[in-house]
Amino acid sequence: MHRLRNASRDYDWGSSSDIPHFLGASPDGRPLAEIWMGTHELSPSEVEVDGDTASLAGVAGQLPYMMKILAAGRPLSLQVHPNAQLARVGFEAENAAGVPLDAPHRTYKDPRHKPEMAYALTTFDTLVGFRPTAEILRVLDGIDTDLASRLAEELRVKPGFDGIVRIVEQLVQEPPEPAEIAAIVDECRRLVAQHVDVKRAYLTVLEVSEHFPGDSGLVLTLLLNRVTLQPGEAAFLGAGIIHAHLHGMCLEVMTSSDNVLRAGLTSKHVDPEGLVTCLERGMSRLARITPEVVGTETEVFAPDVDEFALAVTQVAVAANGVELYGTGRRIALCTGGRVELVAGNGDRLSMVRGDSVYLDPADGRVEVEGSGEVAVAFTPDDEIAGRLIDLV
């Protein structure tokens, strides 16, 4: 068992208090957005070995997954992640063009796809996946502006996924005039004041406009489902699903990738054409994950991917010790309380909230004692299969 030292990211959308509070540290005013745990080339973790420091990759090899603590103080960018083929082709093309890996305008940071799962640590709000056509039309028909009327008419002429994508393409490649966007915001404000809304679509525009006034992404949010996860709930976002997290703190577990294509609501590099190319059909992957219960203490969230799953174990003082799920290469994060891990060889390691540990296959059966909660990222086998419930 090796304690981890993890890199942090202070993106401008981060929260100045959530992650420091989670880690038991004092806020320093920075908008701390993410803590990365894994072996990704851009921000690999380090481990403590015999009082010294080594790279996690040097001890564990390259892990197929990584885990993040993510805290959104304001909305993230409208984004989508590529599938495996697009990631490989895009990565090779940017390498051939000589684009540095750390260049701000680089899109593909690695050749891997990026499906991901969000496990809520606080109430977590996100926009994810397209609303059904009929629902989008109800949203647009309620807004008395020329732009909303034009978009609704286009969707009536060409309904369904292809028609929605055509509207997305139009909005990101030929953004509306600022006055047209402002008119949409004003209409949403009028409707919300009258207690009129369609599944929080108008409220979302008002919330996001506080941070991105005049951004064409405000209009795009009208097309997306708003989903709220309560602490302990998880949702799966397959590659090709458009989304934008709004606020709250979660654990993200994903393939070891940082490929993100953005279309708005951001100060980072945007790639509208690339985003449209990555959009995929099939909203069944936009799903809440029903966990598999192991014993009485552990819930296993296993979406339909080969690279990652998450097991969350809660233990009470009265318990004699609860076995953590799995025996392979695992990353364990204490998400609450004070616990102690006990390896098969008798080694012990104490953890409080925010502490993270790499568990090696050689550690064998690892038990957790004390009172608290431990989340474990791992590569699933055929014995566990999560159930996905369509959110829309």
Side-chain angles (χ1 to χ4, degrees):
M1 299 186 291
H2 300 288
R3 291 189 184 275
L4 293 179
R5 296 180 181 177
N6 305 305
S8 63
R9 296 296 182 96
D10 54 355
Y11 303 136
D12 56 7
W13 50 260
S15 166
S16 61
S17 59
D18 285 355
I19 289 179
H21 177 70
F22 184 84
L23 298 178
S26 298
D28 61 6
R30 290 185 303 149
L32 189 54
E34 295 178 344
I35 303 292
W36 288 28
M37 292 164 276
T39 57
H40 192 277
E41 300 86 341
L42 292 180
S43 291
S45 298
E46 296 179 333
V47 295
E48 298 177 10
V49 181
D50 298 327
D52 204 352
T53 300
S55 70
L56 175 58
V59 172
Q62 290 295 326
L63 297 176
Y65 62 84
M66 66 174 169
M67 182 159 58
K68 296 180 183 179
I69 306 169
L70 181 149
R74 64 171 178 78
L76 279 67
S77 59
L78 283 162
Q79 60 185 255
V80 69
H81 305 308
N83 62 31
Q85 179 181 0
L86 289 172
R88 183 176 61 254
V89 171
F91 181 74
E92 292 173 353
E94 289 190 312
N95 278 352
V99 182
L101 192 61
D102 58 353
H105 61 285
R106 174 131 190 175
T107 295
Y108 291 94
K109 309 298 179 62
D110 54 70
R112 298 178 287 276
H113 68 156
K114 193 187 177 188
E116 61 188 23
M117 173 171 56
Y119 173 84
L121 295 171
T122 67
T123 300
F124 192 78
D125 272 79
T126 185
L127 299 174
V128 55
F130 296 128
R131 299 175 186 267
T133 296
E135 189 173 304
I136 293 175
L137 288 173
R138 288 202 304 275
V139 169
L140 294 174
D141 286 344
I143 301 173
D144 186 15
T145 72
D146 291 342
L147 175 57
S149 296
R150 291 201 309 270
L151 296 177
E153 182 58 30
E154 291 178 15
L155 189 55
R156 286 190 172 90
V157 171
K158 191 176 182 63
F161 179 84
D162 291 337
I164 297 170
V165 171
R166 186 167 70 173
I167 289 176
V168 172
E169 187 172 14
Q170 174 185 327
L171 289 172
V172 299
Q173 295 185 1
E174 300 177 11
E177 293 296 324
E180 293 182 298
I181 298 172
I184 293 270
V185 175
D186 288 342
E187 268 292 279
C188 290
R189 183 174 295 108
R190 178 184 67 83
L191 290 163
V192 170
Q194 295 176 354
H195 306 289
V196 175
D197 206 344
V198 180
K199 296 188 177 179
R200 298 185 287 175
Y202 307 149
L203 177 64
T204 299
V205 169
L206 295 185
E207 291 176 349
V208 177
S209 68
E210 293 180 7
H211 305 282
F212 298 99
D215 194 300
S216 62
L218 291 170
V219 186
L220 254 174
T221 67
L222 296 168
L223 311 180
L224 306 182
N225 300 287
R226 179 160 176 170
V227 175
T228 298
L229 298 176
Q230 297 301 330
E233 295 180 333
F236 175 61
L237 287 74
I241 299 294
I242 189 169
H243 61 281
H245 297 325
L246 296 176
H247 55 77
M249 185 164 64
C250 73
L251 290 184
E252 281 192 324
V253 190
M254 64 197 70
T255 54
S256 186
S257 174
D258 191 40
N259 291 325
V260 180
L261 294 98
R262 302 176 180 88
L265 308 183
T266 182
S267 59
K268 295 183 180 181
H269 172 65
V270 297
D271 186 354
E273 293 183 7
L275 178 137
V276 171
T277 300
C278 285
L279 292 173
E280 293 188 7
R281 295 176 182 270
M283 288 188 286
S284 61
R285 291 164 301 156
L286 159 60
R288 194 180 300 272
I289 304 172
T290 300
E292 191 78 19
V293 179
V294 178
T296 59
E297 299 89 359
T298 299
E299 293 183 326
V300 181
F301 298 84
D304 187 21
V305 291
D306 295 332
E307 294 89 349
F308 63 83
L310 182 74
V312 181
T313 297
Q314 293 181 334
V315 61
V317 172
N320 294 323
V322 177
E323 185 176 353
L324 289 181
Y325 191 84
T327 57
R329 298 182 297 170
R330 294 169 286 171
I331 292 177
L333 172 71
C334 180
T335 52
R338 182 180 296 273
V339 300
E340 190 170 38
L341 302 186
V342 184
N345 60 6
D347 287 349
R348 289 178 171 267
L349 191 151
S350 61
M351 302 177 75
V352 296
R353 188 175 68 174
D355 288 344
S356 55
V357 175
Y358 169 67
L359 303 177
D360 192 81
D363 294 317
R365 180 176 179 267
V366 177
E367 289 191 344
V368 56
E369 299 176 352
S371 178
E373 182 180 86
V374 179
V376 179
F378 65 99
T379 301
D381 54 29
D382 294 334
E383 296 180 2
I384 197 78
R387 289 165 290 167
L388 303 180
I389 299 176
D390 194 355
L391 284 170
V392 298

